[in-house]
Amino acid sequence: MNNRLKTIIEALIFISQKPLTLEKIKNVLKEFPPKDIDQALEELLQNFSSNERGIQIIRSAGGYIFATKPEDDRWIRRLLRIERKNKLSPAALETLSTIAYHQPITLSEISALRDTDSSHTLKTLLQKKLIKIVGRKKSPGRPLIYRTSDKFLTYFGLNSLSELPTQEEISKILEEGE
Amino acid sequence: MESTESYQVKLEVFQGPLDLLLFLIRKQKIDIHDIPIATITKEYLQYLEQKEKINLDREAEFLLMAALLIYIKSQMLLPREIPLEEEEDPRQSLVYRLLDYQKMKAASTLLRKKEAEELLKWKRTFLPPLLEVEDLDLIEVSLFDLAEAFFAVMKRKEKEDFRIIKRKQYSVEEKIKEILATLKENSYLDFLNFFARQATLEEALISFFSLLELIKARRVIAVQERLFQSIKVWLMKDPATGHN
Protein backbone atom coordinates (compact mmCIF):
# COMPACT_ATOMS: atom_id res chain seq x y z
CA MET A 1 0.00 0.00 0.00
CA ASN A 2 2.73 2.37 1.01
CA ASN A 3 4.58 1.75 -2.23
CA ARG A 4 1.46 2.63 -4.16
CA LEU A 5 1.07 5.83 -2.16
CA LYS A 6 4.68 6.69 -2.80
CA THR A 7 4.27 6.47 -6.56
CA ILE A 8 1.09 8.54 -6.45
CA ILE A 9 2.78 11.30 -4.47
CA GLU A 10 5.74 11.20 -6.81
CA ALA A 11 3.38 11.65 -9.76
CA LEU A 12 1.60 14.55 -8.06
CA ILE A 13 4.85 16.37 -7.37
CA PHE A 14 6.06 15.69 -10.89
CA ILE A 15 3.01 17.18 -12.52
CA SER A 16 2.95 20.30 -10.32
CA GLN A 17 4.34 23.49 -11.77
CA LYS A 18 4.57 25.03 -8.32
CA PRO A 19 5.85 23.54 -5.06
CA LEU A 20 3.18 21.10 -3.87
CA THR A 21 2.26 21.39 -0.21
CA LEU A 22 1.61 18.44 2.07
CA GLU A 23 -1.81 19.92 2.74
CA LYS A 24 -2.69 19.78 -0.95
CA ILE A 25 -1.42 16.22 -1.25
CA LYS A 26 -3.65 15.21 1.64
CA ASN A 27 -6.61 17.01 0.08
CA VAL A 28 -6.19 15.09 -3.14
CA LEU A 29 -5.60 11.75 -1.41
CA LYS A 30 -8.44 12.09 1.04
CA GLU A 31 -9.21 8.36 0.89
CA PHE A 32 -5.87 7.60 2.50
CA PRO A 33 -5.03 7.98 6.19
CA PRO A 34 -2.95 11.17 6.68
CA LYS A 35 -0.43 9.22 8.70
CA ASP A 36 0.27 6.85 5.79
CA ILE A 37 0.73 9.84 3.50
CA ASP A 38 3.26 11.39 5.88
CA GLN A 39 5.19 8.17 5.96
CA ALA A 40 5.06 7.56 2.22
CA LEU A 41 6.28 11.09 1.55
CA GLU A 42 9.09 10.64 4.03
CA GLU A 43 10.18 7.44 2.28
CA LEU A 44 9.91 9.07 -1.12
CA LEU A 45 12.16 11.92 0.00
CA GLN A 46 14.67 9.41 1.30
CA ASN A 47 14.69 7.51 -2.01
CA PHE A 48 15.34 10.67 -3.90
CA SER A 49 18.13 11.87 -1.63
CA SER A 50 20.38 9.07 -2.84
CA ASN A 51 23.35 9.99 -4.98
CA GLU A 52 22.25 7.72 -7.76
CA ARG A 53 19.64 10.13 -9.04
CA GLY A 54 19.98 13.24 -11.13
CA ILE A 55 16.78 14.65 -9.77
CA GLN A 56 16.03 15.61 -6.21
CA ILE A 57 12.92 16.70 -4.38
CA ILE A 58 13.48 19.96 -2.54
CA ARG A 59 11.40 21.81 0.01
CA SER A 60 10.51 25.21 -1.29
CA ALA A 61 7.90 27.81 -0.30
CA GLY A 62 6.31 25.31 2.07
CA GLY A 63 5.93 22.61 -0.59
CA TYR A 64 7.84 20.00 -2.56
CA ILE A 65 9.21 20.34 -6.06
CA PHE A 66 11.51 18.40 -8.37
CA ALA A 67 14.84 20.03 -9.12
CA THR A 68 18.09 19.07 -10.74
CA LYS A 69 21.34 19.15 -8.81
CA PRO A 70 23.63 22.18 -8.86
CA GLU A 71 26.58 20.15 -10.17
CA ASP A 72 24.67 19.29 -13.36
CA ASP A 73 23.99 22.90 -14.25
CA ARG A 74 26.61 23.14 -17.00
CA TRP A 75 25.31 20.11 -18.87
CA ILE A 76 21.75 21.39 -18.76
CA ARG A 77 22.86 24.76 -20.06
CA ARG A 78 24.73 23.08 -22.88
CA LEU A 79 21.65 21.11 -23.85
CA LEU A 80 19.40 24.16 -23.80
CA ARG A 81 22.15 26.37 -25.23
CA ILE A 82 21.79 28.89 -22.47
CA GLU A 83 24.92 30.80 -21.61
CA ARG A 84 23.70 31.87 -18.21
CA LYS A 85 20.49 32.59 -16.42
CA ASN A 86 19.45 36.17 -15.85
CA LYS A 87 19.99 37.52 -12.37
CA LEU A 88 18.04 40.27 -10.70
CA SER A 89 19.43 43.78 -11.11
CA PRO A 90 21.00 45.41 -8.01
CA ALA A 91 18.04 47.80 -7.79
CA ALA A 92 15.55 44.93 -7.99
CA LEU A 93 17.40 42.96 -5.33
CA GLU A 94 17.58 45.97 -3.01
CA THR A 95 13.89 46.70 -3.42
CA LEU A 96 13.05 43.06 -2.91
CA SER A 97 14.98 42.77 0.34
CA THR A 98 13.44 46.03 1.56
CA ILE A 99 10.01 44.52 0.96
CA ALA A 100 10.98 41.15 2.42
CA TYR A 101 12.08 42.63 5.73
CA HIS A 102 9.42 45.34 6.07
CA GLN A 103 6.30 43.78 4.60
CA PRO A 104 3.47 44.67 4.33
CA ILE A 105 4.80 47.87 2.81
CA THR A 106 3.76 50.66 0.42
CA LEU A 107 5.68 52.19 -2.48
CA SER A 108 6.41 55.42 -0.62
CA GLU A 109 7.72 53.50 2.39
CA ILE A 110 10.02 51.47 0.13
CA SER A 111 11.25 54.62 -1.62
CA ALA A 112 11.90 56.27 1.76
CA LEU A 113 13.91 53.32 3.07
CA ARG A 114 15.98 53.12 -0.10
CA ASP A 115 16.02 56.91 -0.39
CA THR A 116 15.28 56.61 -4.07
CA ASP A 117 12.20 56.35 -6.26
CA SER A 118 11.35 52.67 -6.56
CA SER A 119 8.20 52.71 -8.70
CA HIS A 120 9.89 51.38 -11.81
CA THR A 121 11.64 48.55 -9.97
CA LEU A 122 8.41 47.67 -8.22
CA LYS A 123 6.68 47.28 -11.57
CA THR A 124 9.40 44.92 -12.77
CA LEU A 125 9.11 42.83 -9.61
CA LEU A 126 5.33 42.63 -10.02
CA GLN A 127 5.78 41.48 -13.61
CA LYS A 128 8.20 38.83 -12.47
CA LYS A 129 5.59 37.85 -9.85
CA LEU A 130 8.18 38.04 -7.08
CA ILE A 131 5.88 40.38 -5.15
CA LYS A 132 2.12 40.75 -4.96
CA ILE A 133 -0.42 43.40 -4.06
CA VAL A 134 -2.32 42.44 -0.93
CA GLY A 135 -4.62 45.43 -0.50
CA ARG A 136 -4.71 49.13 0.20
CA LYS A 137 -3.53 50.97 3.25
CA LYS A 138 -6.13 52.92 5.19
CA SER A 139 -4.21 56.16 4.96
CA PRO A 140 -4.47 59.22 2.70
CA GLY A 141 -4.40 58.24 -0.95
CA ARG A 142 -5.13 54.62 0.00
CA PRO A 143 -1.77 53.40 -1.37
CA LEU A 144 -1.30 49.78 -2.47
CA ILE A 145 0.34 47.39 -0.04
CA TYR A 146 2.94 44.90 -1.26
CA ARG A 147 4.21 41.59 0.01
CA THR A 148 6.65 39.02 -1.31
CA SER A 149 5.05 36.08 -3.13
CA ASP A 150 5.55 32.33 -2.96
CA LYS A 151 7.58 32.67 -6.12
CA PHE A 152 9.96 34.89 -4.15
CA LEU A 153 10.55 32.03 -1.70
CA THR A 154 11.09 29.53 -4.50
CA TYR A 155 13.41 31.90 -6.33
CA PHE A 156 15.73 32.20 -3.35
CA GLY A 157 15.31 28.59 -2.23
CA LEU A 158 13.53 29.52 0.98
CA ASN A 159 10.91 27.38 2.61
CA SER A 160 9.25 30.27 4.45
CA LEU A 161 9.94 33.89 5.31
CA SER A 162 11.44 32.78 8.62
CA GLU A 163 14.36 31.40 6.58
CA LEU A 164 15.36 34.87 5.42
CA PRO A 165 18.87 35.81 6.56
CA THR A 166 18.67 36.63 10.27
CA GLN A 167 19.90 39.75 12.04
CA GLU A 168 22.96 37.80 13.25
CA GLU A 169 23.88 36.73 9.73
CA ILE A 170 23.45 40.31 8.55
CA SER A 171 25.60 41.70 11.37
CA LYS A 172 28.28 39.17 10.51
CA ILE A 173 28.39 40.39 6.92
CA LEU A 174 28.67 43.96 8.16
CA GLU A 175 31.58 43.12 10.45
CA GLU A 176 33.38 41.34 7.64
CA GLY A 177 32.90 44.37 5.44
CA GLU A 178 34.60 46.68 7.88
CA MET B 1 48.32 49.23 -4.87
CA GLU B 2 45.23 51.00 -3.79
CA SER B 3 44.98 54.70 -4.06
CA THR B 4 41.87 56.26 -2.58
CA GLU B 5 42.48 59.52 -4.40
CA SER B 6 42.27 58.15 -7.90
CA TYR B 7 39.45 55.77 -7.10
CA GLN B 8 36.44 57.34 -8.75
CA VAL B 9 33.13 55.71 -9.38
CA LYS B 10 30.38 57.11 -11.54
CA LEU B 11 27.20 58.36 -9.95
CA GLU B 12 25.10 55.97 -12.04
CA VAL B 13 26.39 52.90 -10.27
CA PHE B 14 24.88 53.97 -6.96
CA GLN B 15 21.39 52.80 -6.12
CA GLY B 16 20.62 56.11 -4.42
CA PRO B 17 22.10 58.84 -2.22
CA LEU B 18 22.37 56.54 0.81
CA ASP B 19 24.32 54.10 -1.30
CA LEU B 20 26.76 56.83 -2.31
CA LEU B 21 27.03 58.13 1.25
CA LEU B 22 27.75 54.67 2.59
CA PHE B 23 30.40 54.19 -0.06
CA LEU B 24 32.11 57.43 0.97
CA ILE B 25 31.95 56.48 4.64
CA ARG B 26 33.54 53.10 3.93
CA LYS B 27 36.14 54.61 1.66
CA GLN B 28 37.22 57.03 4.39
CA LYS B 29 36.98 54.31 7.04
CA ILE B 30 34.80 56.58 9.12
CA ASP B 31 32.74 55.50 12.12
CA ILE B 32 29.16 55.66 10.95
CA HIS B 33 28.02 56.88 14.38
CA ASP B 34 30.35 59.86 14.29
CA ILE B 35 30.44 61.21 10.76
CA PRO B 36 32.71 64.22 10.16
CA ILE B 37 29.96 66.04 8.36
CA ALA B 38 32.10 68.74 6.73
CA THR B 39 34.44 66.22 5.10
CA ILE B 40 31.70 63.94 3.94
CA THR B 41 29.62 66.82 2.55
CA LYS B 42 32.60 67.99 0.54
CA GLU B 43 33.21 64.50 -0.82
CA TYR B 44 29.57 64.03 -1.62
CA LEU B 45 29.34 67.32 -3.51
CA GLN B 46 32.43 66.39 -5.48
CA TYR B 47 30.57 63.37 -6.77
CA LEU B 48 27.64 65.47 -7.85
CA GLU B 49 29.97 67.87 -9.63
CA GLN B 50 31.35 65.05 -11.71
CA LYS B 51 28.11 65.17 -13.56
CA GLU B 52 27.75 68.26 -15.65
CA LYS B 53 24.03 67.92 -16.03
CA ILE B 54 21.87 66.40 -13.38
CA ASN B 55 18.98 64.34 -14.64
CA LEU B 56 16.25 65.68 -12.38
CA ASP B 57 14.00 62.68 -12.75
CA ARG B 58 16.57 60.24 -11.58
CA GLU B 59 18.97 62.29 -9.55
CA ALA B 60 16.72 64.65 -7.61
CA GLU B 61 17.23 62.42 -4.59
CA PHE B 62 20.96 63.00 -4.77
CA LEU B 63 20.38 66.75 -4.67
CA LEU B 64 17.98 66.40 -1.76
CA MET B 65 20.63 64.53 0.18
CA ALA B 66 23.17 67.23 -0.64
CA ALA B 67 20.77 69.81 0.78
CA LEU B 68 20.30 67.74 3.92
CA LEU B 69 24.05 67.36 4.40
CA ILE B 70 24.59 71.09 4.04
CA TYR B 71 21.75 71.72 6.47
CA ILE B 72 23.26 69.37 9.05
CA LYS B 73 26.66 70.95 8.55
CA SER B 74 25.22 74.41 9.20
CA GLN B 75 23.46 73.11 12.30
CA MET B 76 26.73 71.70 13.61
CA LEU B 77 28.56 74.94 12.96
CA LEU B 78 26.11 77.14 14.84
CA PRO B 79 27.50 78.25 18.17
CA ARG B 80 25.24 77.24 21.06
CA GLU B 81 25.00 78.47 24.60
CA ILE B 82 23.99 75.11 25.97
CA PRO B 83 25.76 72.13 24.40
CA LEU B 84 23.38 69.77 22.58
CA GLU B 85 22.19 66.58 24.19
CA GLU B 86 23.25 63.48 22.33
CA GLU B 87 19.73 62.78 21.04
CA GLU B 88 19.64 66.24 19.55
CA ASP B 89 22.65 65.66 17.36
CA PRO B 90 21.45 66.82 13.93
CA ARG B 91 23.20 63.83 12.38
CA GLN B 92 21.18 61.35 14.40
CA SER B 93 18.28 60.64 12.03
CA LEU B 94 20.63 60.35 9.07
CA VAL B 95 22.72 57.85 11.01
CA TYR B 96 19.62 55.73 11.69
CA ARG B 97 18.70 55.80 8.02
CA LEU B 98 22.24 54.84 7.07
CA LEU B 99 22.28 51.96 9.54
CA ASP B 100 18.96 50.65 8.22
CA TYR B 101 20.16 50.99 4.68
CA GLN B 102 23.41 49.23 5.49
CA LYS B 103 21.51 46.31 6.97
CA MET B 104 19.34 46.06 3.91
CA LYS B 105 22.44 46.06 1.67
CA ALA B 106 23.93 43.26 3.71
CA ALA B 107 20.69 41.29 3.44
CA SER B 108 20.80 41.84 -0.33
CA THR B 109 24.29 40.36 -0.43
CA LEU B 110 23.03 37.25 1.34
CA LEU B 111 20.05 36.97 -0.97
CA ARG B 112 22.37 37.33 -3.96
CA LYS B 113 24.28 34.28 -2.75
CA LYS B 114 21.08 32.31 -2.38
CA GLU B 115 20.00 33.40 -5.84
CA ALA B 116 23.25 32.09 -7.30
CA GLU B 117 22.82 28.73 -5.54
CA GLU B 118 19.21 28.42 -6.65
CA LEU B 119 19.93 29.33 -10.28
CA LEU B 120 22.05 26.19 -10.52
CA LYS B 121 19.03 24.01 -9.74
CA TRP B 122 16.61 23.65 -12.60
CA LYS B 123 13.00 23.14 -11.71
CA ARG B 124 9.82 22.15 -13.42
CA THR B 125 8.82 25.81 -13.29
CA PHE B 126 11.47 26.58 -15.86
CA LEU B 127 10.43 26.66 -19.47
CA PRO B 128 13.24 26.86 -22.00
CA PRO B 129 12.97 30.32 -23.52
CA LEU B 130 14.46 29.39 -26.83
CA LEU B 131 12.85 27.28 -29.39
CA GLU B 132 14.97 25.08 -31.51
CA VAL B 133 13.46 25.90 -34.84
CA GLU B 134 14.79 22.80 -36.55
CA ASP B 135 13.15 20.59 -33.92
CA LEU B 136 9.69 21.93 -34.54
CA ASP B 137 7.47 21.19 -37.43
CA LEU B 138 6.49 24.75 -38.12
CA ILE B 139 5.50 26.55 -41.23
CA GLU B 140 7.59 29.59 -41.92
CA VAL B 141 5.37 32.45 -42.90
CA SER B 142 5.94 34.14 -46.23
CA LEU B 143 6.27 37.86 -46.63
CA PHE B 144 2.82 37.99 -48.20
CA ASP B 145 1.21 36.31 -45.24
CA LEU B 146 2.88 38.81 -42.96
CA ALA B 147 1.79 41.78 -45.01
CA GLU B 148 -1.73 40.44 -45.21
CA ALA B 149 -1.91 40.00 -41.47
CA PHE B 150 -0.49 43.46 -41.00
CA PHE B 151 -3.09 45.11 -43.21
CA ALA B 152 -5.86 43.21 -41.49
CA VAL B 153 -4.76 44.62 -38.15
CA MET B 154 -4.43 48.09 -39.57
CA LYS B 155 -7.95 47.92 -41.04
CA ARG B 156 -9.23 47.06 -37.60
CA LYS B 157 -7.26 49.89 -36.10
CA GLU B 158 -8.57 52.37 -38.60
CA LYS B 159 -12.02 52.06 -37.13
CA GLU B 160 -10.73 53.08 -33.75
CA ASP B 161 -10.79 56.70 -32.85
CA PHE B 162 -7.25 57.97 -32.84
CA ARG B 163 -6.58 60.95 -30.67
CA ILE B 164 -2.92 61.68 -30.79
CA ILE B 165 -1.92 63.76 -27.84
CA LYS B 166 1.74 64.11 -28.37
CA ARG B 167 3.93 63.44 -31.28
CA LYS B 168 6.59 60.90 -30.65
CA GLN B 169 9.36 60.08 -33.03
CA TYR B 170 10.00 56.45 -33.70
CA SER B 171 13.04 55.06 -35.36
CA VAL B 172 13.60 51.64 -36.83
CA GLU B 173 16.73 51.17 -34.70
CA GLU B 174 14.81 51.82 -31.49
CA LYS B 175 11.97 49.56 -32.54
CA ILE B 176 14.38 46.76 -33.40
CA LYS B 177 15.88 47.05 -29.94
CA GLU B 178 12.43 47.05 -28.39
CA ILE B 179 11.32 43.99 -30.32
CA LEU B 180 14.49 42.08 -29.45
CA ALA B 181 14.11 43.01 -25.78
CA THR B 182 10.51 41.79 -25.75
CA LEU B 183 11.55 38.57 -27.42
CA LYS B 184 14.30 37.94 -24.92
CA GLU B 185 11.86 38.41 -22.10
CA ASN B 186 8.90 36.48 -23.48
CA SER B 187 10.52 34.07 -25.94
CA TYR B 188 7.94 34.83 -28.61
CA LEU B 189 5.70 37.57 -29.83
CA ASP B 190 2.17 37.23 -31.09
CA PHE B 191 1.92 39.12 -34.35
CA LEU B 192 -1.69 40.26 -34.00
CA ASN B 193 -1.37 41.24 -30.34
CA PHE B 194 1.84 43.09 -31.02
CA PHE B 195 0.34 45.32 -33.66
CA ALA B 196 -2.88 45.82 -31.78
CA ARG B 197 -0.74 47.39 -29.06
CA GLN B 198 0.85 50.02 -31.29
CA ALA B 199 -0.48 53.45 -30.45
CA THR B 200 -0.39 55.14 -33.85
CA LEU B 201 -0.30 54.19 -37.47
CA GLU B 202 3.17 55.65 -37.71
CA GLU B 203 4.41 53.50 -34.85
CA ALA B 204 2.80 50.42 -36.36
CA LEU B 205 4.44 51.05 -39.72
CA ILE B 206 7.85 51.52 -38.14
CA SER B 207 7.32 48.33 -36.16
CA PHE B 208 6.43 46.44 -39.29
CA PHE B 209 9.54 47.66 -41.09
CA SER B 210 11.65 46.74 -38.09
CA LEU B 211 10.19 43.28 -38.06
CA LEU B 212 10.89 42.81 -41.77
CA GLU B 213 14.43 44.04 -41.19
CA LEU B 214 14.91 41.46 -38.43
CA ILE B 215 13.48 38.66 -40.55
CA LYS B 216 15.73 39.61 -43.45
CA ALA B 217 18.77 39.52 -41.18
CA ARG B 218 17.57 36.09 -39.93
CA ARG B 219 17.57 37.32 -36.36
CA VAL B 220 13.95 36.37 -35.89
CA ILE B 221 11.64 33.96 -37.61
CA ALA B 222 7.91 34.25 -38.18
CA VAL B 223 6.11 30.94 -37.95
CA GLN B 224 2.69 29.34 -37.75
CA GLU B 225 2.05 26.09 -35.96
CA ARG B 226 -0.63 25.30 -38.46
CA LEU B 227 -2.15 27.09 -41.40
CA PHE B 228 -4.57 29.86 -40.46
CA GLN B 229 -3.32 29.95 -36.91
CA SER B 230 -1.91 33.10 -35.43
CA ILE B 231 1.55 34.11 -36.52
CA LYS B 232 4.26 34.04 -33.91
CA VAL B 233 7.65 35.65 -34.07
CA TRP B 234 10.54 33.82 -32.44
CA LEU B 235 14.11 34.75 -31.83
CA MET B 236 16.59 32.89 -34.02
CA LYS B 237 19.68 31.39 -32.62
CA ASP B 238 22.90 32.84 -33.85
CA PRO B 239 24.49 29.91 -35.67
CA ALA B 240 27.97 31.25 -34.95
CA THR B 241 27.76 31.47 -31.19
CA GLY B 242 24.92 29.14 -30.37
CA HIS B 243 23.02 31.85 -28.56
CA ASN B 244 21.42 35.06 -29.58
Side-chain angles (χ1 to χ4, degrees):
Chain A
M1 193 64 237
N2 237 345
N3 271 335
R4 179 76 191 109
L5 253 180
K6 236 161 64 181
T7 56
I8 298 171
I9 296 172
E10 186 177 346
L12 295 181
I13 297 174
F14 169 75
I15 213 70
S16 297
Q17 295 272 337
K18 282 193 285 186
L20 187 66
T21 60
L22 181 58
E23 199 191 345
K24 231 177 187 165
I25 297 175
K26 284 181 177 167
N27 275 342
V28 172
L29 305 175
K30 48 181 182 275
E31 291 87 349
F32 300 88
K35 236 183 169 177
D36 289 5
I37 295 177
D38 288 339
Q39 207 198 330
L41 178 66
E42 195 53 50
E43 279 173 33
L44 183 68
L45 292 179
Q46 250 167 32
N47 291 165
F48 267 94
S49 66
S50 91
N51 274 333
E52 286 164 31
R53 316 210 62 140
I55 291 171
Q56 50 177 344
I57 298 178
I58 54 172
R59 290 211 71 174
S60 176
Y64 299 89
I65 191 165
F66 278 118
T68 63
K69 295 181 172 176
E71 56 266 35
D72 297 330
D73 171 66
R74 54 181 290 218
W75 310 113
I76 297 167
R77 281 190 288 108
R78 191 184 285 177
L79 171 76
L80 300 174
R81 296 192 208 165
I82 291 175
E83 201 85 332
R84 62 187 170 86
K85 284 197 194 168
N86 288 336
K87 289 181 179 173
L88 289 173
S89 71
L93 194 67
E94 253 196 55
T95 310
L96 207 48
S97 53
T98 308
I99 299 170
Y101 283 93
H102 296 91
Q103 57 187 320
I105 189 168
T106 66
L107 168 62
S108 60
E109 287 161 349
I110 298 166
S111 299
L113 282 164
R114 293 185 61 220
D115 209 19
T116 192
D117 176 37
S118 307
S119 51
H120 179 74
T121 327
L122 208 61
K123 231 177 260 168
T124 321
L125 292 174
L126 270 176
Q127 266 170 8
K128 290 188 193 292
K129 297 198 162 60
L130 291 168
I131 57 169
K132 56 185 178 187
I133 297 167
V134 289
R136 284 180 183 277
K137 199 175 178 182
K138 288 189 181 71
S139 68
R142 304 196 21 90
L144 294 167
I145 309 173
Y146 299 92
R147 269 187 177 282
T148 53
S149 63
D150 277 354
K151 201 178 163 195
F152 163 81
L153 295 175
T154 316
Y155 186 82
F156 289 104
L158 304 168
N159 198 27
S160 74
L161 283 175
S162 63
E163 285 184 7
L164 276 174
T166 59
Q167 288 300 330
E168 287 88 68
E169 286 173 83
I170 291 170
S171 312
K172 220 176 126 195
I173 285 266
L174 287 175
E175 277 161 33
E176 281 166 16
E178 268 164 27
Chain B
M1 281 300 285
E2 207 187 326
S3 149
T4 44
E5 282 305 308
S6 62
Y7 189 52
Q8 289 288 343
V9 184
K10 278 199 174 145
L11 199 57
E12 284 86 355
V13 307
F14 296 103
Q15 296 303 318
L18 286 177
D19 205 14
L20 170 57
L21 214 51
L22 213 53
F23 167 78
L24 295 175
I25 289 169
R26 288 228 184 99
K27 198 176 109 183
Q28 304 268 320
K29 299 192 168 68
I30 292 167
D31 177 9
I32 202 165
H33 296 275
D34 188 23
I35 305 167
I37 206 83
T39 325
I40 220 75
T41 306
K42 199 177 126 213
E43 286 257 331
Y44 186 90
L45 291 176
Q46 268 172 9
Y47 263 86
L48 288 199
E49 279 159 14
Q50 272 182 50
K51 270 190 85 91
E52 289 180 1
K53 282 183 208 150
I54 295 275
N55 173 359
L56 268 184
D57 281 338
R58 215 190 84 78
E59 277 122 21
E61 296 111 354
F62 285 94
L63 292 181
L64 188 67
M65 177 59 77
L68 178 70
L69 287 172
I70 294 166
Y71 171 76
I72 296 174
K73 186 175 149 191
S74 69
Q75 289 284 307
M76 306 269 298
L77 287 174
L78 282 179
R80 289 174 199 276
E81 285 180 23
I82 318 154
L84 280 172
E85 299 274 329
E86 202 181 316
E87 304 91 75
E88 289 174 76
D89 190 323
R91 297 173 298 182
Q92 199 57 264
S93 86
L94 182 63
V95 169
Y96 286 144
R97 273 165 67 195
L98 276 169
L99 288 173
D100 274 348
Y101 185 77
Q102 199 179 27
K103 263 192 210 160
M104 191 274 299
K105 281 288 261 193
S108 296
T109 318
L110 288 165
L111 285 178
R112 183 63 92 195
K113 272 190 203 152
K114 289 199 174 291
E115 178 191 42
E117 284 166 23
E118 257 348 88
L119 285 179
L120 295 177
K121 299 179 200 161
W122 297 67
K123 304 184 187 81
R124 288 269 289 117
T125 44
F126 178 83
L127 297 171
L130 288 177
L131 192 84
E132 298 212 28
V133 175
E134 65 266 33
D135 290 353
L136 261 171
D137 200 11
L138 292 168
I139 307 156
E140 195 174 345
V141 180
S142 76
L143 189 60
F144 296 103
D145 295 328
L146 267 186
E148 204 181 296
F150 176 68
F151 289 124
V153 183
M154 285 304 110
K155 270 244 165 69
R156 222 182 296 164
K157 276 215 119 93
E158 227 173 34
K159 291 183 195 130
E160 288 169 26
D161 187 15
F162 277 123
R163 273 192 203 128
I164 301 159
I165 297 166
K166 62 176 173 190
R167 194 181 160 78
K168 205 176 154 191
Q169 296 288 344
Y170 300 99
S171 76
V172 174
E173 289 83 52
E174 271 172 48
K175 266 289 159 196
I176 285 183
K177 271 189 204 148
E178 193 190 312
I179 292 172
L180 286 177
T182 321
L183 281 175
K184 273 187 186 142
E185 186 100 338
N186 300 327
S187 76
Y188 74 86
L189 193 140
D190 188 290
F191 190 83
L192 290 183
N193 274 346
F194 178 67
F195 282 102
R197 275 206 315 269
Q198 308 293 320
T200 62
L201 190 65
E202 187 199 352
E203 193 189 355
L205 277 171
I206 299 275
S207 298
F208 189 58
F209 288 143
S210 312
L211 204 55
L212 291 181
E213 235 3 272
L214 284 168
I215 292 171
K216 196 176 122 202
R218 305 297 288 171
R219 300 191 57 189
V220 304
I221 185 167
V223 290
Q224 270 174 316
E225 271 157 37
R226 231 169 281 147
L227 272 178
F228 311 116
Q229 275 194 347
S230 71
I231 298 172
K232 282 175 183 157
V233 178
W234 290 83
L235 212 53
M236 286 278 274
K237 252 171 271 183
D238 187 339
T241 56
H243 57 92
N244 46 70

